[in-house]
């Protein structure tokens, strides 16, 4: 187990290095000219351009900039020079090219929003999706099964922005059943947090639950045809015991993997959901940064997403070994 | 052996413990009705072993699953009578049958690796089999389970109790499954091809074990197999099935030494003998097992029978009945064939008895 962990950490570091180099390179290899974007004039005059470039630290060679960046993450650095310099303590992820706000502050501001959306939706889609899927597998061919298949097809084909706007229109504006979607920190008001997040949770939750309903139905059907289920019945176990203890645990294993990886990706930023409900989450910040050619924010969001995905990969592998004793990590 | 209370009601102990009468099992499918079992009758007494022999698709496993009540009632039609200790299982509710499953009748399956749950330890699975029918503490159940593991010949049973199925070898897994099925002292044990997935040497050990345990527990045993060697070693009576019907039925001695159905002849001739001539070709039965949706009319075996045309007549129109022998004194030996008995004896003595394992 120890060797497994060490190997995975080393691999993670290597991956992060590769990701950061790639992001940096792609940015500079592309037609990047953030200085012009931030100029404010249609055609930037050379003096202003030069001044902005210097302030951003972009007059240094790319490798140097990268080295500075890495150093900043571990030790902290000074950004820019002269009287416009900013002190950036570790972990320094740079400052926004546009507003000069430290990126760590931006993340601290936007990340809780994304986390709130994802965690709530996770509960919704796992609960609804998995139980619906399992039930329809158990009662295959029945009315419930047909409804759930229809449900899955409908919602899996829907787009978040479509369903989100539709639900907002009906549930918020027309009938007033739900409050306006917004982010209120749970530290301020738990009630406000929940009511503001309900609509995103329902939307993202319903759409994803369709996918998980399909998946868990297929997994459960396959598991139910296994020999050990027949043995369990032959022992005289009550059918509920067979379903819950024997079938469920076996069927759920691949779902854990998929859900974990899904979660890792979503934690990196649920851009469409954030945009649909105009919530200032990390995903939205990342996309805006791309349009604004705001490299520090891009780097930070990419790296954070990479860290989360890698971490979820490791967690999912370990969970698999916990559930399935045939898998041994060595 | 740790003591445990027998919670079963007293049975009708007269007569055979298991009696199957005119069992029919069919599955309606999109392509037609699959008549997997089409009128099978047999009985097994306590302390005796019945071997059910047949090819794949003959209905052997479907019969055993019907006895255990493991068919999905919504997707199958089961008719006839299955008397277990005098009670007709087909007239009971699902819940009543479930209570008897594992307790009065138990089943072991062909591949113990896939038949045991991979995520739970052997010990836990055996304890579960015990505790579902007996109200005892986990500790008591554990003691009994370890006793059973020891009884079936698994070394270091206490240590093995905590291990997973994939940590066992094939033979030991099958022993563990036998332990699990016998832990409640069932009066009927059905073994569905218990040795097919095992090495030959292990196979012999498992069969010996089953014989020992039957002597000790005095249970009725039904062993399903396609292997005639297994049948001759362990079975007291033999039921030869073909296309869901009984072709021949009798004691092992009668059926193996004096078979009277062309299908049984075919089976015996198909098995290579250690004493036979190595240069001679094997005599397989021509053709393929029939579709159970479109069962051949009349005698189901007639398309493949070498003697079907000898007797111009009812092979393809009438289903032969299972009748006792009149010319020889072999009580209990019954054959379902249109060929006259005299002719069958002649054919057997002249052609079959000198070929294959019948020697």
């Amino acid at each position: 187990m120890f060797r497994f962990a060490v190997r995975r950490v080393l691999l993670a570091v290597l991956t992060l290095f590769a990701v950061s180099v790639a992001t940096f390179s792609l940015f500079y290899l592309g037609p990047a000219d953030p200085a012009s974007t931030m100029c404010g004039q249609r055609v930037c005059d050379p003096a202003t351009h030069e001044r902005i470039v210097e302030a951003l630290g972009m007059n240094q060679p790319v490798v140097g900039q990268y080295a500075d960046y890495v150093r900043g993450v571990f030790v902290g650095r000074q950004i820019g020079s002269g009287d416009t310099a900013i002190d950036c303590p570790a972990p320094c992820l740079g400052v926004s090219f546009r507003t000069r706000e430290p990126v760590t502050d931006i993340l601290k501001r936007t990340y809780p929003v994304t986390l709130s959306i994802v965690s709530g939706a996770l509960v919704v889609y796992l609960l609804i999706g998995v139980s619906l899927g399992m039930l329809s597998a158990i009662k295959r061919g029945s009315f419930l099964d047909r409804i759930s298949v229809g449900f899955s097809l409908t919602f899996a084909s829907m787009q978040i922005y479509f369903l989100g706007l539709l639900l907002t229109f009906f549930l918020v504006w027309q009938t007033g059943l739900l409050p306006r979607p917004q982010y209120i920190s749970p530290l301020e008001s738990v009630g406000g947090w929940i009511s503001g997040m309900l609509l995103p949770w329902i939307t993202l939750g319903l759409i994803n639950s369709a996918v998980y309903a399909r998946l868990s139905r297929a997994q459960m059907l396959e598991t139910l045809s296994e020999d050990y289920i027949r043995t369990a019945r032959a022992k005289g176990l009550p059918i509920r015991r067979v379903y819950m203890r024997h079938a469920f645990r076996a069927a759920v294993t691949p779902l854990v993997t998929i859900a974990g990886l899904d979660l890792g990706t979503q934690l990196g930023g649920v851009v469409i959901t954030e945009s649909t409900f105009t919530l200032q989450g990390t995903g939205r910040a990342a996309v805006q940064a791309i349009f604004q050619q705001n490299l520090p924010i891009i780097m930070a969001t990419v790296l954070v997403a990479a860290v989360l995905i890698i971490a979820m990969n490791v967690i999912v592998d370990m969970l698999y070994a916990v559930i399935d004793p045939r898998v041994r990590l060595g | 052996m740790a003591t445990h209370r027998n919670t079963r009601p007293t049975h009708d102990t007269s007569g055979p413990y298991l009696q199957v009468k005119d069992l029919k099992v069919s599955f309606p499918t999109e392509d037609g009705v699959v008549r997997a079992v089409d009128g099978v009758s047999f009985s097994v007494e306590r302390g005796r072993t019945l071997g059910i022999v047949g090819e794949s698709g003959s209905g052997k496993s479907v019969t055993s699953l019907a006895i255990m009540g493991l068919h999905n009632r919504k997707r199958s039609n089961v008719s006839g009578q299955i008397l277990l200790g005098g009670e007709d299982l087909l007239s009971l509710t699902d819940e009543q049958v479930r209570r008897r499953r594992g307790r009065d009748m138990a089943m072991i399956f062909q591949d113990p690796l896939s038949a045991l749950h991979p995520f739970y330890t052997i010990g836990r699975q055996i304890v579960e089999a015990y505790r579902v029918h007996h109200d005892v503490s986990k500790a008591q159940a554990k003691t009994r389970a370890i006793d059973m593991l020891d009884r079936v010949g698994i070394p270091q049973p206490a240590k093995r109790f905590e291990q997973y199925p994939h940590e066992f070898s094939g033979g030991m897994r099958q022993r563990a499954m036998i332990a699990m099925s016998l832990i409640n002292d069932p009066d009927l044990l059905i073994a569905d091809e218990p040795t097919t997935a095992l090495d030959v040497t292990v196979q012999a050990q498992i069969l010996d074990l089953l014989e020992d345990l039957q002597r000790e527990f005095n249970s009725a045993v039904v062993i399903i197999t396609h292997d005639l060697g297994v049948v001759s070693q362990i079975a007291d009576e033999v039921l030869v099935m073909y296309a869901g019907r009984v072709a021949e039925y009798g004691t092992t001695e009668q059926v193996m030494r004096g078979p009277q159905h062309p299908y049984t002849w075919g089976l015996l001739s198909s098995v290579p003998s250690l004493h036979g001539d190595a240069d001679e070709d094997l005599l397989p039965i021509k053709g393929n097992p029939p579709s159970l949706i479109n069962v051949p009319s009349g005698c189901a075996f007639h398309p493949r029978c070498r003697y079907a045309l000898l007797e111009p007549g009812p092979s393809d129109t009438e289903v032969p009945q299972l009748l006792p022998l009149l010319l020889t004194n072999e009580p209990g030996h019954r054959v379902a064939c249109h060929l006259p008995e005299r002719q069958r004896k002649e054919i057997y003595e002249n052609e079959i008895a000198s070929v294959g394992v019948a020697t």
Side-chain angles (χ1 to χ4, degrees):
Chain A
M1 191 67 171
F2 180 69
R3 277 194 310 173
F4 168 78
V6 166
R7 257 216 311 264
R8 294 305 287 261
V9 167
L10 285 177
L11 201 61
V13 169
L14 213 64
T15 312
L16 287 173
F17 174 68
V19 167
S20 57
V21 166
T23 313
F24 227 84
S25 320
L26 281 172
F27 185 83
Y28 280 110
L29 284 176
D33 195 3
S36 300
T37 316
M38 291 192 289
C39 207
Q41 307 160 9
R42 285 207 73 204
V43 178
C44 213
D45 68 278
T48 323
H49 194 267
E50 195 50 44
R51 206 167 19 96
I52 298 176
V53 166
E54 222 185 282
L56 293 177
M58 279 180 68
N59 46 352
Q60 287 191 304
V62 180
V63 181
Q65 289 189 50
Y66 180 77
D68 274 341
Y69 187 88
V70 176
R71 189 165 42 93
V73 175
F74 290 105
V75 177
R77 62 174 162 134
Q78 206 181 57
I79 298 182
S81 50
D83 45 347
T84 53
I86 295 180
D87 215 4
C88 185
C92 177
L93 294 168
V95 298
S96 161
F97 276 179
R98 278 191 59 151
T99 63
R100 308 220 94 201
E101 183 187 359
V103 175
T104 31
D105 288 347
I106 296 180
L107 286 181
K108 276 197 213 137
R109 192 172 23 96
T110 58
Y111 207 70
V113 181
T114 305
L115 191 59
S116 301
I117 300 174
V118 172
S119 53
L122 177 84
V123 169
V124 172
Y125 67 70
L126 281 186
L127 274 180
I128 296 183
V130 174
S131 36
L132 198 62
M134 299 275 167
L135 272 175
S136 48
I138 290 172
K139 298 197 183 301
R140 181 167 64 149
S142 70
F143 186 60
L144 168 73
D145 185 20
R146 278 185 248 265
I147 294 231
S148 96
V149 170
F151 163 84
S152 300
L153 276 175
T154 313
F155 281 98
S157 336
M158 280 212 196
Q159 296 298 332
I160 299 176
Y161 48 82
F162 176 70
L163 183 66
L165 291 175
L166 206 65
L167 288 179
T168 312
F169 182 67
F170 279 114
L171 295 176
V172 177
W173 304 121
Q174 281 287 71
T175 57
L177 281 172
L178 283 179
R180 190 169 61 87
Q182 58 181 313
Y183 177 73
I184 300 173
S185 168
L187 301 170
E188 274 175 43
S189 154
V190 175
W193 177 65
I194 293 179
S195 58
M197 284 284 120
L198 264 180
L199 205 49
W201 284 346
I202 292 174
T203 312
L204 194 55
L206 274 179
I207 291 181
N208 278 345
S209 70
V211 175
Y212 281 91
R214 276 308 276 277
L215 279 171
S216 53
R217 180 181 181 273
Q219 276 307 126
M220 189 63 162
L221 280 178
E222 204 186 293
T223 305
L224 285 177
S225 68
E226 291 278 359
D227 283 349
Y228 51 82
I229 300 294
R230 189 180 53 178
T231 307
R233 295 191 60 212
K235 289 191 326 199
L237 297 180
I239 199 75
R240 277 191 73 212
R241 182 82 156 277
V242 175
Y243 289 143
M244 296 308 296
R245 291 272 185 85
H246 290 248
F248 181 76
R249 189 169 158 180
V252 110
T253 318
L255 292 177
V256 165
T257 309
I258 295 173
L261 297 175
D262 227 353
L263 182 64
T265 318
Q266 287 176 353
L267 285 173
V270 271
V271 179
I272 301 182
T273 312
E274 291 168 20
S275 303
T276 307
F277 297 106
T278 43
L279 298 165
Q280 311 293 348
T282 315
R284 225 166 145 225
V287 171
Q288 283 169 345
I290 292 174
F291 287 139
Q292 296 164 356
Q293 301 186 28
N294 207 332
L295 177 61
I297 299 183
I298 298 174
M299 278 293 283
T301 46
V302 167
L303 284 177
V304 167
V307 167
L308 288 166
I309 291 177
I310 292 172
M312 283 313 297
N313 259 281
V314 174
I315 292 175
V316 151
D317 278 347
M318 296 200 295
L319 267 179
Y320 210 106
V322 165
I323 300 178
D324 187 343
R326 293 172 296 186
V327 175
R328 283 283 170 255
L329 304 169
Chain B
M1 177 87 85
T3 51
H4 76 292
R5 275 174 297 118
N6 190 325
T7 54
R8 286 197 290 283
T10 46
H11 309 288
D12 164 26
T13 47
S14 60
Y17 184 64
L18 171 69
Q19 270 184 297
V20 173
K21 294 186 183 172
D22 198 32
L23 178 68
K24 291 195 175 125
V25 183
S26 58
F27 304 102
T29 68
E30 273 172 14
D31 298 322
V33 178
V34 178
R35 303 165 67 136
V37 179
D38 197 9
V40 167
S41 308
F42 58 87
S43 60
V44 192
E45 298 192 19
R46 275 196 189 75
R48 306 277 287 172
T49 304
L50 170 73
I52 303 187
V53 189
E55 294 167 305
S56 315
S58 55
K60 340 189 272 286
S61 292
V62 175
T63 306
S64 59
L65 291 174
I67 297 172
M68 295 284 287
L70 285 175
H71 288 296
N72 188 336
R73 289 223 181 175
K74 287 187 223 126
R75 291 194 209 120
S76 61
N77 295 318
V78 184
S79 70
Q81 280 189 314
I82 301 177
L83 300 171
L84 192 74
E87 268 185 314
D88 184 9
L89 295 178
L90 294 179
S91 67
L92 299 178
T93 64
D94 279 343
E95 177 63 17
Q96 287 170 316
V97 176
R98 178 195 74 77
R99 260 183 256 135
R100 286 157 178 78
R101 232 184 271 140
R103 187 191 67 179
D104 301 335
M105 51 181 181
M107 191 156 169
I108 60 177
F109 297 98
Q110 178 173 331
D111 181 9
L113 183 58
S114 62
L116 290 168
H117 203 299
F119 293 179
Y120 295 115
T121 60
I122 290 275
R124 191 150 159 199
Q125 296 187 53
I126 298 182
V127 160
E128 184 183 41
Y130 189 55
R131 289 186 86 206
V132 75
H133 295 292
H134 300 275
D135 190 14
V136 293
S137 71
K138 278 198 197 159
Q140 284 173 297
K142 178 171 176 174
T143 314
R144 174 143 174 94
I146 295 180
D147 273 341
M148 273 314 284
L149 286 175
D150 186 42
R151 182 64 198 79
V152 298
I154 291 178
Q156 298 182 297
K159 180 168 156 237
R160 292 289 184 177
F161 182 87
E162 309 287 353
Q163 288 186 335
Y164 292 94
H166 67 274
E167 297 177 275
F168 282 54
S169 70
M172 281 215 286
R173 265 197 293 270
Q174 193 58 290
R175 287 175 196 269
M177 204 150 67
I178 293 173
M180 188 165 81
S181 62
L182 291 179
I183 197 159
N184 292 315
D185 269 343
D187 286 321
L188 171 67
L189 175 68
I190 305 178
D192 192 344
E193 311 243 22
T195 53
T196 308
L198 304 172
D199 300 332
V200 176
T201 46
V202 179
Q203 174 173 312
Q205 293 171 3
I206 297 292
L207 292 177
D208 277 342
L209 174 66
L210 283 174
E211 274 187 307
D212 272 346
L213 292 170
Q214 178 185 41
R215 256 196 302 274
E216 183 175 330
F217 294 113
N218 202 37
S219 27
V221 173
V222 173
I223 183 158
I224 298 170
T225 178
H226 59 265
D227 187 339
L228 296 172
V230 167
V231 166
S232 51
Q233 183 179 337
I234 189 176
D236 299 311
E237 274 104 30
V238 179
L239 185 83
V240 180
M241 280 187 73
Y242 187 79
R245 300 184 191 140
V246 179
E248 191 160 2
Y249 183 27
T251 67
T252 312
E253 188 69 26
Q254 289 167 348
V255 176
M256 296 281 122
R257 293 267 167 227
Q260 294 219 1
H261 193 286
Y263 178 59
T264 320
W265 296 335
L267 284 180
L268 287 168
S269 318
S270 313
V271 181
S273 160
L274 282 176
H275 310 293
D277 186 354
D279 292 325
E280 241 186 62
D281 288 332
L282 285 175
L283 268 178
I285 309 175
K286 69 173 193 285
N288 294 308
S291 147
L292 294 173
I293 294 178
N294 297 313
V295 183
S297 58
C299 171
F301 187 61
H302 85 262
R304 303 171 75 187
C305 183
R306 293 166 81 201
Y307 312 98
L309 299 174
L310 276 190
E311 199 55 33
S315 298
D316 53 344
T317 47
E318 269 175 48
V319 176
Q321 292 196 318
L322 194 65
L323 299 169
L325 301 182
L326 301 167
L327 296 179
T328 28
N329 181 25
E330 291 190 356
H333 191 175
R334 291 201 278 276
V335 187
C337 182
H338 287 302
L339 282 176
E341 196 181 325
R342 188 189 318 276
Q343 213 166 355
R344 298 198 297 249
K345 286 191 61 151
E346 265 175 40
I347 300 177
Y348 178 68
E349 266 143 40
N350 298 336
E351 298 180 31
I352 314 293
S354 44
V355 184
V357 288
T359 45

